[in-house]
Amino acid sequence: MLALGKLLELTLAGREPAQKIQLTVDGVQLRWLSEGALEVRPPEARDNGSDVLLSSGIHGNETAPIELADRLLQGIARGEIKPRTRILFLFGNPEAMRRGERYLELDVNRLFNGRHEQSIGPEAMRAAELEQLARTFFSVPGRSRLHYDLHTAIRGSKIEQFALYPWKDGRQHSRAELARLRAAGMEAVLLQNKTSITFTAFTYEQLEAESFTLELGKARPFGQNQGVDVSRLETRLKQIIEGNEPATESLDGLKLFSVSREVIKHSDTFVLHLPADVENFSELEMGYLLAEDIAKTRWVIEEEGARIIFPNPKVKNGLRAGILIVPTTDAGLA
Ligand SMILES: O=C(O)CCC(=O)N[C@@H](CCC(=O)O)C(=O)O
Ligand SMILES: [Zn+2]
């Protein structure tokens, strides 16, 4: 096995490889770019013109996606997976991965689209570096661009695997990409309707990639992910990488949601009226008092069919403490 196929091992050990470029037996180039960052380039004759960014470990304790990326990269390094796409593997927050924590001081996934410029510290610098790595990778004109940012969630979920699709003014969400996600095992997609400061929002809004945050189950430590079934996603990713993806147009069984409101925590007096173990996608009744904050701010459910995802009263002031979502249709898809 090539040393660069062990990017995860290198990253967890905080080591730089002696050799930065290696070739697999069938001529695939692996190039180490920076800590937790490696580019895969197929031989020119095999290149199908697609660029795929696979990020994981943006939150250091979300290990199932990191292990999935590691398996794919090892398969490539051993010559078992034969890529026809360029691929950029990124482990988002190496120091948090080493410590088994979501983040150290700042949530990296709230520092994109320029937000890192308003902060200091290692995570702000890492977000800037990730933006630069993604910008360089997606700078070749005329190629298709796909970004999957792989996560697991803090809590259990009534819908286990789902995607979040960023938004940009004047750009329509793609039905073909949703069909691809359905085939990869996603059960629901949340269609965003405003700009954001996450990694996928950056690559979608600024780099013209088709970008998705994928939630794959509940976050657990390394080696304890038997309960997170990524088999359908893994199969689809291999097919995308090898350029032999079966055609699919079906959205059958895929639930679509849109954002009704983001619940923003404004002060330390913020209170969320939900049990600590509430699951993502839990339904909330009309009239339910969801949260209270400074200056008698009240969040009362006014939407028919409302559900909550990512409820988290512990976020820093000014950040999202949950998303209220409602069912939507496929009417706006391109
Ligand atoms: O379980 C949670 O509360 C958070 C899980 C997670 O990390 N989700 C991502 C979603 C990113 C997006 O909105 O596209 C995050 O919160 O960063
Ligand atoms: Zn995450």
Side-chain angles (χ1 to χ4, degrees):
M1 150 82 84
L2 297 175
L4 291 181
K6 298 184 180 172
L7 181 69
L8 177 57
E9 211 175 293
L10 286 168
T11 308
L12 291 178
R15 276 182 26 229
E16 199 170 304
Q19 231 184 319
K20 304 286 188 293
I21 297 183
Q22 292 184 323
L23 282 183
T24 69
V25 278
D26 59 348
V28 175
Q29 180 185 279
L30 308 185
R31 186 157 67 104
W32 189 88
L33 302 171
S34 163
E35 184 172 40
L38 185 134
E39 184 202 60
V40 174
R41 197 183 276 258
E44 221 172 297
R46 228 165 60 196
D47 190 329
N48 71 0
S50 303
D51 290 341
V52 179
L53 167 50
L54 285 180
S55 49
S56 58
I58 289 284
H59 295 130
N61 62 340
E62 299 177 4
T63 62
I66 299 170
E67 291 174 351
L68 166 57
D70 180 49
R71 283 194 297 278
L72 291 173
L73 177 56
Q74 291 211 28
I76 293 167
R78 284 199 201 95
E80 292 160 8
I81 299 175
K82 300 183 190 316
R84 295 174 69 90
T85 62
R86 284 173 72 234
I87 308 159
L88 177 60
F89 285 98
L90 292 178
F91 293 136
N93 191 337
E95 187 52 35
M97 283 166 57
R98 289 189 278 271
R99 297 192 197 181
E101 286 168 15
R102 185 171 168 86
Y103 57 85
L104 313 178
E105 289 167 22
L106 296 175
D107 186 337
V108 176
N109 217 17
R110 302 293 180 273
L111 291 171
F112 291 96
N113 273 330
R115 273 296 176 99
H116 53 81
E117 285 158 18
Q118 299 161 25
S119 304
I120 51 166
E123 279 147 336
M125 284 167 65
R126 182 63 173 170
E129 184 179 32
L130 293 173
E131 283 193 355
Q132 194 47 47
L133 286 161
R135 194 182 289 284
T136 305
F137 180 67
F138 283 139
S139 65
V140 188
R143 299 177 63 88
S144 73
R145 298 174 183 176
L146 180 65
H147 177 194
Y148 285 163
D149 185 31
L150 310 178
H151 289 248
T152 43
I154 295 170
R155 56 191 58 254
S157 186
K158 294 192 183 303
I159 298 177
E160 190 73 5
Q161 299 199 333
F162 58 99
L164 295 98
Y165 200 166
W167 177 90
K168 184 180 180 181
D169 194 16
R171 193 169 166 192
Q172 272 181 301
H173 289 131
S174 154
R175 173 180 289 273
E177 289 300 335
L178 295 195
R180 178 181 250 174
L181 287 173
R182 181 68 191 120
M186 297 304 119
E187 301 154 85
V189 178
L190 174 60
L191 305 172
Q192 304 272 20
N193 46 27
K194 67 179 193 55
T195 60
S196 178
I197 51 178
T198 62
F199 196 14
T200 52
F202 167 71
T203 56
Y204 187 77
E205 291 173 31
Q206 297 204 33
L207 306 183
E208 284 155 37
E210 284 292 357
S211 309
F212 301 88
T213 305
L214 303 190
E215 295 288 348
L216 305 177
K218 194 169 172 186
R220 302 216 183 277
F222 282 116
Q224 295 179 29
N225 289 308
Q226 296 76 9
V228 184
D229 181 5
V230 295
S231 53
R232 284 183 69 184
L233 175 62
E234 194 159 347
T235 300
R236 200 72 189 184
L237 284 172
K238 280 185 198 154
Q239 290 166 344
I240 292 173
I241 289 169
E242 295 196 311
N244 56 13
E245 207 183 353
T248 173
E249 288 173 9
S250 171
L251 298 190
D252 271 6
L254 187 69
K255 299 178 186 73
L256 298 179
F257 294 92
S258 65
V259 177
S260 172
R261 285 183 277 168
E262 282 195 345
V263 180
I264 306 295
K265 173 178 170 180
H266 288 295
S267 76
D268 293 341
T269 58
F270 180 86
V271 183
L272 192 63
H273 297 296
L274 289 173
D277 61 353
V278 68
E279 292 185 315
N280 285 326
F281 290 94
S282 291
E283 290 184 36
L284 300 173
E285 282 180 12
M286 297 264 271
Y288 185 77
L289 176 60
L290 175 64
E292 291 173 274
D293 206 344
I294 199 162
K296 297 191 178 153
T297 310
R298 286 159 59 87
W299 297 84
V300 178
I301 303 302
E302 295 159 357
E303 307 75 351
E304 194 79 58
R307 297 177 186 224
I308 184 86
I309 61 167
F310 306 146
N312 186 356
K314 294 184 188 147
V315 295
K316 293 203 163 78
N317 295 345
L319 293 183
R320 175 177 94 189
I323 314 180
L324 274 174
I325 61 173
V326 289
T328 190
T329 67
D330 62 358
L333 302 178

